Amino acid sequence: MISLRCIGRSVPRQIPSAIPHLPRRCLSTVRKSSLLQQSWRGASRPSYLAFSTSRAVREQEGQVDQELSAKLESELQVERDTRDSDTLPSPLQGFLDSCPFKLEDKPGQEEVALTRKFGDESIRITFSIADLNNMDQDDADQLGEDPALSDEEAADAAATNAQSGGGNTKGSINQGRTKGGNFAVAPEDSIAPSDRAEGSYEDPSTGEAEQEPSFPARLNVLITKAGKGALQLEVMAQDGEVLIENVYYFKKPELADAKTAELDWSRRNLYTGPPFGNLDEDLQILLERYLNERGIDTALALWVPEYIDWKEQREYLTWLSNVKTFVDA
């Protein structure tokens, strides 16, 4: 037993000494690439950087830049020639000097505001020059209608309505008791357009000279009282008339001018009042007098469209200059 155990213990020790030592291969961490891989890598390596900013790889400069810049300069020159100066014209400035409103106009922005105090009320009127640019083509054609067409229509109406007698006949002159009655007005007896005052046209129905119609300007009138809510009126100003379209009441003044999505969502389910046209006629008249008493009257309705036109021309000139500077850069 002892001899077998001794033999078993000595066998493991003798086996390693009997195996000859073989040379170990050095394991390198870098793999040697084949000739095919080396040739492929050499062919795929770019000869220049992919995002190089050198002139050799830049795109050619625009071919229309100079022509566009020249056209912008031409438009700028035309606008400068048609405008007297950058200062506010005296009629527009005269209104601001005599009215109780304070003007808030920031260059580069479409919206203009007029503010004032009336007792314990804070009144803010806002309008935008976008109304001039957003006019429908039909409205623009109507405003730009040639007054000569009205003259021809008036002449035709005068010839049609002419009659031999009566002192109250339209289109007749020289009232008298002659047998033939009054004489009909001939087309050449009408006042020629060149002899009329500038900016006026003749009303075919009355034959009287009137001012050219102005474009409709939308006013947002906000009247607030501390702790008592706000009254908001949507008004149209045109040809010296103040036309109320809607009247809203809000317990929270911030809902009248909702500038966040949350406030806008909060006001959607509120009952703010019926359409203005559904109100009693006497109530409509009193609301119009209510605005007139606070300075929202004929003078304001005449001033706003003129100021919008002046501001739009000024902003357009600045836009042309900015675009030209960008193109030339």
Side-chain angles (χ1 to χ4, degrees), residues 44-83:
S44 62
R45 181 180 301 171
S47 59
Y48 54 88
L49 294 178
F51 298 96
S52 173
T53 58
S54 63
R55 192 172 185 82
V57 297
R58 289 179 57 186
E59 293 290 341
Q60 294 183 356
E61 296 181 357
Q63 302 298 322
V64 191
D65 292 23
Q66 294 182 358
E67 184 179 354
L68 177 59
S69 178
K71 180 60 178 177
L72 290 170
E73 180 62 31
S74 175
E75 290 293 322
L76 281 169
Q77 189 61 39
V78 170
E79 290 297 323
R80 294 191 183 103
D81 293 341
T82 55
R83 291 183 56 187

Side-chain angles (χ1 to χ4, degrees), residues 19-32:
I19 299 175
H21 293 280
L22 299 175
R24 295 184 179 180
R25 185 178 63 177
C26 178
L27 300 177
S28 174
T29 58
V30 179
R31 295 183 179 179
K32 295 182 180 180

Side-chain angles (χ1 to χ4, degrees), residues 161-191:
N161 295 331
Q163 60 182 18
S164 59
N168 297 328
T169 303
K170 291 184 180 180
S172 60
I173 59 174
N174 297 334
Q175 299 182 22
R177 299 179 180 179
T178 59
K179 182 178 180 181
N182 300 331
F183 295 99
V185 179
E188 57 269 16
D189 295 331
S190 301
I191 301 176

